[in-house]
C-alpha cells in the first residue's frame, strides 16, 4: 500500500540543474540536531554554497513520524538544498526519494557513515559498510527514483573508511557507486569505531581523488578554514563539507573564501560575534516564539563563545536568562560595550 506524507514544498527561485561543487563552493554538512533551517540560512549568508538537512529517517518519513516534517522546512533562500536520508531498507529509501520528489526536492544524500550506536543498531549509517551489496541496492533504489523525476535530480553518498581498521571499503565501494550513477561521494576518512577520535586519514582522500571521475567531497578535521585549504591542496579533492568547524564558527565559509582568494580573513571582533548571535536569533525567531528562541539560544551561544575568556560566565548567565531583556543585557555587557 502506498504511504503518502505531506511535506513542506521545496521552493526555489530557479531550477538547480547542477549542484555547485568546487574549491570555492564550500558545503555545510548534515548535522543532526544542528543544521536546521535557521542555521542553514545563517551559514548561507556567510558563504555556504550548498547546505544539507539534518539526517532524516526514510522509515520515519514514510510512516509520518512526529518532527520529520520539521527537519525538511525550507524557504526560497535555502537553495540549493540536499536532503540527507538514512535507513537500511532499499525499498524505504527509494520510496522516500520518490515522496520527497513529489514535493519538489531534487538532491539527496544517503548516510553510510554515521557511527552513533542507535543508528547502527538499526542496521543504518556506518553499519551498512559491513554489507556492500546492501549499500549498492540502496544506491540503486535512490538513483532510480531520481531518474524518474521530470527535471534534473541526483544523489550522493557519505561514508567512512569502514567499520574498523583492517577492513576498508574504499576505494571499491566508491568506484561501484560511481558506476551506478552517483552524483558525488563524500568521505570522512575515519573508521566508524573511531568516532571522532584520532586523526582523519587524508591520504585516503588523495588516493580516491585520483581514482574517481565524479566529485569527491572531503569531511573530517576541518575545524578552521585553514584546515580546509590545506586539505584541498594536499589531497586534490573537488570540494569540502564543513561540520564541527561550522558549528563553532558559521563565518568559516567566508574565511574559507578569503583564504582561497589569497586574502587574510578579517579578525573577528566582539561586535562581529554579537552580530552573528543576533542574526542567528532573528532567523530562529521567524518560526519560534520569544520563549522558544531564548531557550534555543541558551544552547547555541556557548559553542560560539567557547574560546572567549568569559565563556564560563556567559554560560552561567545564559542559564538564568528567561527573556529578551536578560539576553540583551548579556550581549551588551560582553560584546557591545567598549573596545573590540
Amino acid at each position: 500500500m502506498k504511504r503518502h506524507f505531506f511535506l513542506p514544498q521545496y521552493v526555489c527561485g530557479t531550477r538547480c540543474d547542477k549542484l555547485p561543487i568546487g574549491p570555492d563552493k564550500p558545503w555545510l554538512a548534515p548535522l543532526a540536531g544542528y543544521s536546521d533551517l535557521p542555521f542553514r540560512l545563517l551559514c548561507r549568508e556567510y558563504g555556504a554554497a550548498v547546505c544539507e538537512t539534518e539526517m532524516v529517517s526514510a522509515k520515519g518519513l514514510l510512516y509520518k513520524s512526529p518532527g520529520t516534517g520539521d527537519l525538511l522546512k525550507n524557504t526560497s533562500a535555502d537553495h540549493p538544498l540536499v536532503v540527507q536520508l538514512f535507513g537500511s531498507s532499499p525499498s524505504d529509501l527509494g520510496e522516500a526519494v520518490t515522496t520527497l520528489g513529489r514535493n519538489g526536492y531534487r538532491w539527496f544524500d544517503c548516510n553510510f557513515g554515521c557511527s552513533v550506536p542507535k543508528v547502527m543498531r538499526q542496521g543504518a549509517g556506518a553499519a551498512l559498510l559491513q554489507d556492500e551489496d546492501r549499500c549498492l541496492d540502496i544506491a540503486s533504489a535512490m538513483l532510480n527514483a531520481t531518474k524518474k523525476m521530470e527535471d534534473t535530480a541526483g544523489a550522493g553518498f557519505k561514508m567512512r573508511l569502514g567499520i574498523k581498521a583492517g577492513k576498508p571499503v574504499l576505494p571499491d565501494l566508491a568506484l561501484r557507486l560511481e558506476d551506478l550513477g552517483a552524483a558525488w561521494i563524500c568521505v570522512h576518512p575515519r573508521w566508524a569505531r573511531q568516532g571522532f577520535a584520532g586523526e582523519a586519514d587524508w591520504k585516503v582522500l588523495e588516493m580516491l581523488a585520483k581514482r574517481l571521475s565524479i566529485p569527491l567531497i572531503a569531511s573530517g578535521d576541518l575545524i578552521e578554514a585553514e584546515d580546509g585549504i590545506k586539505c584541498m591542496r594536499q589531497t586534490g579533492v573537488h570540494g569540502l563539507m564543513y561540520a564541527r568547524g561550522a558549528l563553532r564558527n558559521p563565518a568559516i565559509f567566508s574565511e574559507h573564501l578569503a583564504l582561497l582568494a589569497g586574502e587574510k580573513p578579517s579578525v573577528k571582533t566582539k561586535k562581529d560575534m554579537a552580530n552573528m548571535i543576533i542574526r542567528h536569533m532573528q532567523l530562529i525567531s521567524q518560526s519560534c516564539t520569544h520563549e522558544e528562541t531564548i531557550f534555543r539560544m541558551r544552547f547555541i551561544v556557548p559553542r560560539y563563545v567557547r574560546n572567549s575568556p568569559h565563556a564560563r560566565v556567559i554560560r552561567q548567565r545564559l542559564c538564568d536568562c528567561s527573556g529578551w531583556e536578560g539576553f540583551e543585557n548579556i550581549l551588551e555587557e560582553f560584546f557591545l560595550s567598549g573596545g573590540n
Side-chain angles (χ1 to χ4, degrees), residues 183-206:
W184 71 88
I185 299 291
C186 178
V187 174
H188 180 151
R190 278 187 171 89
W191 305 97
R193 289 191 177 175
Q194 280 183 273
F196 293 97
E199 294 183 356
D201 187 356
W202 288 359
K203 290 183 180 179
V204 174
L205 297 174
E206 183 179 7

Side-chain angles (χ1 to χ4, degrees), residues 49-61:
V50 176
C51 292
E52 296 209 14
T53 67
E54 300 177 60
M55 196 166 59
V56 176
S57 165
K59 191 175 292 292
L61 174 70

